[in-house]
Amino acid sequence: MENLMEFLKTRRTYRRFEQKEIPGEVVEEILTAARFASSAANRQPLSYIVIREPKAVSDVFAHTKWAGALPPELGQPKENERPVLFIAVIENLDINKECDTDAGLAISNMTLAAWNRGVGSCMIGACNKPALSEMFGLTEHQKLHTVVAFGYPSHESHIVDMESSEQFKYYLDEKKDYVVPKRKLEDVVRYYP
Ligand SMILES: Cc1cc2nc3c(=O)[nH]c(=O)nc-3n(C[C@H](O)[C@H](O)[C@H](O)COP(=O)(O)O)c2cc1C
């Protein structure tokens, strides 16, 4: 359990990556982890588009925004820091229109499976969904939920206690590692009765 807690603590959002390919078997493992995820009524409305060819990765990257809490020169990955893989999560509306929780669970499984192989990730909600949907050729029965970026991280990320309610913005320390304030347990938990 101690190891799992340490694993969860270090499985953070990573935004700068080595320019090193992720082996196919690791990509398959990440996708299998998504397949294993729980799903409401076991309907399994999600499917996945894998983007790993460098030109396609670059085309998808152009429609993504990174680290909204930081100025772009600090938060946006530079040319030699970009992810090497994107996985787009697609909601199939014919199966289930309300699948936000399913998607969250699948994404969580993917990022955990990736981290188990040393691969860092960043979920990108701030992507240009209309442009990406057109690029992927999605039909009106399919909706892009999000894209998740992957790569071997070239920085670290550390959790610190959030000392005040306004201090939610992550920042970079002197080594350019991410520092992520999390609300303290006593601030978010109460026992009933
Ligand atoms: C729903 C969701 C959408 C997110 N969208 C983006 C995004 O568009 N760009 C980005 O750089 N990070 C994005 N993130 C990452 C968050 O900024 C990150 O989870 C947060 O700063 C806490 O860091 P942690 O994941 O290391 O705990 C997103 C995370 C979630 C859960």
Side-chain angles (χ1 to χ4, degrees):
M1 186 51 111
E2 250 174 41
N3 284 347
L4 175 63
M5 294 310 285
E6 190 54 33
F7 179 77
L8 292 175
K9 199 172 172 188
T10 55
R11 191 233 51 94
R12 305 257 54 78
T13 291
Y14 292 92
R15 295 190 180 87
R16 302 192 306 274
F17 305 97
E18 293 171 16
Q19 299 306 287
K20 186 173 117 187
E21 203 184 324
I22 301 172
E25 73 188 58
V26 175
V27 178
E28 283 234 343
E29 216 168 276
I30 293 169
L31 294 162
T32 302
R35 174 175 176 255
F36 286 167
S38 293
S39 168
N42 204 28
R43 303 279 302 277
Q44 304 167 65
L46 303 173
S47 56
Y48 306 91
I49 300 175
V50 179
I51 303 104
R52 55 192 307 227
E53 192 268 308
K55 163 82 170 71
V57 170
S58 176
D59 290 347
V60 171
F61 181 85
H63 293 296
T64 57
K65 284 214 171 79
W66 295 65
L70 296 174
E73 63 275 18
L74 293 180
Q76 193 76 6
K78 307 219 167 22
E79 187 97 27
N80 60 350
E81 300 172 336
R82 292 182 179 181
V84 295
L85 164 74
F86 283 103
I87 297 178
V89 180
I90 311 300
E91 301 177 15
N92 293 290
L93 305 177
D94 287 343
I95 303 177
N96 190 352
K97 289 186 178 63
E98 304 290 333
C99 52
D100 201 37
T101 305
D102 279 34
L105 291 170
I107 292 164
S108 186
N109 270 16
M110 287 198 281
T111 61
L112 288 166
W115 189 232
N116 186 44
R117 296 295 208 117
V119 174
S121 57
C122 181
M123 177 175 175
I124 306 279
C127 55
N128 183 337
K129 290 184 187 174
L132 289 171
S133 301
E134 196 182 329
M135 188 188 289
F136 297 144
L138 299 189
T139 70
E140 61 187 30
H141 304 280
Q142 296 175 312
K143 189 172 150 198
L144 176 63
H145 181 275
T146 202
V147 292
V148 188
F150 296 89
Y152 294 96
S154 56
H155 68 88
E156 293 182 8
S157 178
H158 307 282
I159 285 176
V160 294
D161 283 348
M162 195 188 283
E163 294 303 339
S164 81
S165 200
E166 297 76 47
Q167 190 219 339
F168 59 87
K169 284 191 179 172
Y170 48 88
Y171 53 93
L172 300 181
D173 66 13
E174 67 287 345
K175 285 167 65 190
K176 281 187 74 189
D177 289 331
Y178 275 78
V179 183
V180 185
K182 296 285 184 193
R183 296 186 200 280
K184 293 181 197 169
L185 219 46
E186 62 261 34
D187 293 335
V188 293
V189 176
R190 77 181 171 99
Y191 289 85
Y192 173 84

